[in-house]
Amino acid sequence: MGATMKDIAKCTGLGLATISSYLNGGNVREKNRVKIEEAIRELHFEVNEVARGLKTNRTKTIGIILPELNNIFFAEIITGAEDILRSHGYATMICDCRSDAEREREAVDFLYHRRVDGLIVMPTGASDSVFQKFIRAGKPIVMIDRKMKGISCDCILVDNQGAAEDAVNRLIRSGHKKIGMIAGPDDVYTARERQRGYQKAIQNNKIISNDSLIARGNYTIAGGAAAMRKLREANPDMTAVFISNYEMMVGAMMEINDLNIRVPDELSVIGFDNVDFAKASVPKLSIVTQPTARIAQEAADTLIKRLEGSLSGSDCRDMDGEKTTATVTLKTGFVEGRSVKPLKQ
């Protein structure tokens, strides 16, 4: 027969109330915590998580929903967030919705009925209504990379508009004026922000542009290849291209190779994410980089603080003292490669 709370009480000399408080996530004195944990190890005590969940209405489980599990950007964030959550005693249930709105809805329903304590989600951008049941139940949601109207939740973002604007400005400073962009789906927050950054750089530098210089992909390798071919066919005199997503960058570079376009002699390129791919390319690509470790840290920390009721600060309270939401916006970086050719001014 396994050890019980009474066995721990006998071993530590502490009361059942103190031990129960510890096992249910309550605060206990540090010296008592040490005694209880030593007794748990010595007695091989196992917590009945199902029973504890029924008593506390907490399962110590976090749901994670992401668009593509094989996307390196998402995978790095989820790996980092999972490590942090585990260190705080939370297990994770990960759902890959494959950028499909119906799969996302099914994932939300699945996690809700599994009584997860909260969600970390990178939404498809299709609908906000699927998340309302979590909001109504008072369960916290932290959105990563994307923001949706109608959902009152914390968001961890990067400065997508600023990143795109900086990338295009680099091309302009190198003398390029016929600059194309491979943009993402217009129903995705990050894609819209990056396109705004491109357009802002073009307008601020008073460069004449037209719609044919923007080709829209779907954040996939195939989408990037198709967009690159479309750009080249519509703009044979285009001297530079900004590719706003890693998967599309891979596809675009494959298409550039198939078309026998020499980078940077015939076409200058700035991409997005994945330092390893950029280094492996010939020539080495110049790319925008995102702080994946910081995103993971902020997302996990924010959710844990919500669950523990310790998230505070002026950014999370309105003038009446009511709890609002927090939005963290992180800066991107830039890795210089050899894929941009300076043109004569």
Side-chain angles (χ1 to χ4, degrees), residues 29-58:
R29 293 179 179 178
E30 179 63 16
K31 64 178 182 179
N32 291 339
R33 180 189 66 78
V34 172
K35 286 182 180 179
I36 293 170
E37 290 179 355
E38 287 177 351
I40 287 173
R41 287 192 295 270
E42 182 181 331
L43 298 170
H44 304 290
F45 177 83
E46 293 185 6
V47 179
N48 186 329
E49 295 289 356
V50 174
R52 182 166 71 174
L54 291 171
K55 183 176 181 179
T56 64
N57 201 29
R58 291 284 182 88

Side-chain angles (χ1 to χ4, degrees), residues 14-159:
L14 299 173
L16 289 174
T18 300
I19 296 165
S20 176
S21 177
Y22 169 84
L23 294 175
N24 290 312
N27 293 321
V28 298
R29 293 179 179 178
E30 179 63 16
K31 64 178 182 179
N32 291 339
R33 180 189 66 78
V34 172
K35 286 182 180 179
I36 293 170
E37 290 179 355
E38 287 177 351
I40 287 173
R41 287 192 295 270
E42 182 181 331
L43 298 170
H44 304 290
F45 177 83
E46 293 185 6
V47 179
N48 186 329
E49 295 289 356
V50 174
R52 182 166 71 174
L54 291 171
K55 183 176 181 179
T56 64
N57 201 29
R58 291 284 182 88
T59 62
K60 296 291 283 188
T61 305
I62 303 300
I64 298 177
I65 303 175
L66 66 163
E68 299 287 345
L69 189 57
N70 61 357
N71 179 302
I72 190 167
F73 170 68
F74 297 143
E76 286 179 354
I77 293 173
I78 294 312
T79 300
E82 187 180 27
D83 286 345
I84 296 166
L85 290 167
R86 187 186 295 114
S87 71
H88 284 78
Y90 290 92
T92 56
M93 299 180 72
I94 301 173
C95 296
D96 178 0
C97 69
R98 303 175 195 175
S99 296
D100 181 84
E102 181 58 24
R103 283 180 177 271
E104 182 179 74
R105 184 192 65 77
E106 291 172 357
V108 173
D109 286 342
F110 170 80
L111 293 170
Y112 183 79
H113 290 298
R114 292 302 183 278
R115 299 176 64 248
V116 298
D117 296 336
L119 281 183
I120 293 177
V121 59
M122 302 172 189
T124 63
S127 172
D128 59 9
S129 60
V130 295
F131 301 104
Q132 292 294 349
K133 60 178 64 181
F134 272 88
I135 301 297
R136 289 193 294 269
K139 296 188 176 186
I141 298 176
V142 176
M143 286 194 178
I144 294 178
D145 192 51
R146 304 172 185 182
K147 200 171 186 177
M148 299 180 74
K149 292 181 179 179
I151 290 291
S152 178
C153 68
D154 302 311
C155 296
I156 312 300
L157 310 173
V158 299
D159 183 10

